[in-house]
Amino acid sequence: MLHKISKEKSNSEKINTVLNWLKESILQMTLETERVVTKIPGLKVFRKNEPTKPASYLHEPSICLVIQGTKWVILGKDKYVMNPSNFLITSLDLPVIAQIIEAKKEKPYMSLTLSIDNKELADLILDFDSLNKSSNKQISGIITSQVTLPLLIAFQRLLSLNNESEKISILAPLIKREIFCHILLSEQGERLRQLVKKKSSTHKIAKAIEWLKSRYTENFKIDDLAKMVHMSTSSFHHHFKRLTTMSPLQYQKWLRLNEARRLMLTENLDVTQAAFQVGYESISQFSREYRRLFGNSPLRDIKKLRSG
């Protein structure tokens, strides 16, 4: 019993040691800007010195570790709490609402995000039979899971390559395979396997989402999109809503409205220009749906964002 307690304490101390190294590294990397895209493909770091208001954005397929602080991610009616003891896996591009709730200047919120590369993941699963254990079990597109010491150490080694540019092309792919391997062999591995298994509903919905992201200004029929990914209309609609909490048409609307918001905020387009550019034909419909999503008319919302 004493040996077990000692072992657990030792493991906890090692986790804290790695977390402290990651905190110091992220702090140094974010001295001039809060968000940094590292030299390692797919790896980003983030720091925030204060809590944030709820923000709506598209969460890409990724593995996200919170190194310090606390963040909420909300998908539909489900809330996922992220902190240094767990990590977030997202297997699809999901429209979420997120909020950093624990952060201050002397103890900022910090996180690491590694994008999931489907090709790298598929190659890894093909190389090792032990990783190819996919089932037909229905799963969600997002989940949190407990952080382990081996996973943290792998992220530590990956981030350390940012200062060794000449090693990145050789070592980064190997370390990323190690990270994916840890997760594929964990209880959350099914999420990653479903993402690349061509006959899985997750893989098919991911294909449909890619189509919607690249053609969100175009009108489409659910039947045609379902046929494109080789699903019946009813099955397609069911699985799309199960994974994203939205219907395909609601998802497209979310993409359009968020892009219109970006165009007005960062490119100074007026309401009419933004509405037409993202595919709306009626300004009144655009304004009505914009208010429903963001809680304000387009003009008031942009004014509020700029003043903030």
Side-chain angles (χ1 to χ4, degrees):
M1 184 68 174
L2 286 174
H3 175 71
K4 184 179 179 181
I5 293 173
S6 175
K7 186 176 180 180
E8 288 176 353
K9 183 178 179 181
S10 175
N11 191 66
S12 177
E13 289 174 346
K14 289 176 181 177
I15 285 176
N16 286 333
T17 298
V18 179
L19 285 173
N20 287 333
W21 185 94
L22 290 169
K23 288 175 196 174
E24 185 59 33
S25 298
I26 293 173
L27 189 63
Q28 292 302 314
M29 294 173 70
T30 56
L31 290 175
E32 297 181 1
T33 181
E34 293 177 340
R35 188 183 304 274
V36 174
V37 177
T38 71
K39 299 173 186 175
I40 298 102
L43 185 65
K44 298 184 283 289
V45 300
F46 182 70
R47 173 189 55 79
K48 191 71 178 176
N49 289 341
E50 58 189 11
T52 64
K53 293 180 180 180
S56 173
Y57 65 93
L58 199 64
H59 203 301
E60 67 176 356
S62 59
I63 302 162
C64 182
L65 273 67
V66 171
I67 308 304
Q68 184 167 267
T70 305
K71 180 179 181 178
W72 288 342
V73 174
I74 300 171
L75 178 66
K77 297 179 180 178
D78 297 322
K79 179 191 289 184
Y80 301 88
V81 180
M82 300 168 60
N83 55 46
S85 66
N86 60 41
F87 64 96
L88 187 81
I89 303 178
T90 312
S91 56
L92 298 162
D93 290 285
L94 296 175
V96 302
I97 296 172
Q99 182 178 15
I100 295 170
I101 61 167
E102 185 183 339
K104 48 188 176 182
K105 190 173 182 179
E106 58 272 22
K107 195 175 180 181
Y109 169 88
M110 299 181 188
S111 64
L112 274 168
T113 301
L114 178 63
S115 299
I116 295 174
D117 186 305
N118 285 2
K119 186 179 183 308
E120 290 178 355
L121 191 58
D123 290 345
L124 176 61
I125 291 173
L126 285 173
D127 287 344
F128 297 95
D129 290 338
S130 60
L131 302 179
N132 191 14
K133 303 174 182 177
S134 189
S135 70
N136 294 318
K137 179 174 67 174
Q138 289 195 359
I139 56 173
S140 62
I142 187 170
I143 197 70
T144 55
S145 189
Q146 186 175 0
V147 164
T148 63
L149 181 60
L151 184 65
L152 273 180
I153 291 174
F155 268 97
Q156 179 187 28
R157 288 191 285 107
L158 185 63
L159 187 60
S160 69
L161 291 178
N162 200 56
N163 297 322
E164 302 179 272
S165 300
E166 70 282 358
K167 298 180 181 179
I168 289 176
S169 62
I170 297 172
L171 294 181
L174 299 176
I175 300 174
K176 284 199 276 186
R177 280 168 68 91
E178 179 185 346
I179 289 170
F180 291 144
C181 185
H182 282 306
I183 296 175
L184 284 165
L185 291 174
S186 75
E187 60 182 358
Q188 306 305 340
E190 184 62 19
R191 278 170 178 76
L192 298 190
R193 284 188 285 270
Q194 290 271 350
L195 187 57
V196 297
K197 184 182 177 184
K198 291 187 177 180
K199 292 184 180 180
S200 74
S201 57
T202 303
H203 179 82
K204 292 175 180 178
I205 298 304
K207 289 290 185 184
I209 285 174
E210 282 301 311
W211 188 93
L212 286 170
K213 284 172 59 185
S214 62
R215 297 176 177 86
Y216 64 87
T217 62
E218 301 176 16
N219 293 323
F220 69 95
K221 293 181 179 179
I222 299 292
D223 292 353
D224 294 337
L225 191 52
K227 187 177 180 180
M228 186 186 74
V229 296
H230 308 292
M231 297 179 81
S232 69
T233 301
S234 59
S235 178
F236 173 70
H237 194 277
H238 167 73
H239 287 293
F240 196 102
K241 194 157 189 177
R242 175 178 63 81
L243 289 165
T244 68
T245 75
M246 294 181 177
S247 70
L249 289 173
Q250 288 171 329
Y251 191 96
Q252 183 198 47
K253 186 187 299 181
W254 189 97
L255 290 173
R256 285 180 170 183
L257 292 171
N258 275 272
E259 175 61 8
R261 194 187 206 193
R262 185 194 70 80
L263 290 170
M264 290 185 289
L265 184 63
T266 64
E267 299 188 23
N268 295 316
L269 267 64
D270 62 31
V271 174
T272 301
Q273 290 172 322
F276 287 154
Q277 188 156 323
V278 300
Y280 277 89
E281 297 175 358
S282 166
I283 302 303
S284 60
Q285 182 187 0
F286 170 74
S287 297
R288 184 169 60 251
E289 293 181 350
Y290 190 101
R291 181 191 293 273
R292 192 176 297 140
L293 180 61
F294 297 116
N296 255 324
S297 68
L299 286 176
R300 287 183 179 178
D301 179 58
I302 297 303
K303 184 179 179 180
K304 185 178 178 182
L305 288 171
R306 284 176 177 157
S307 66

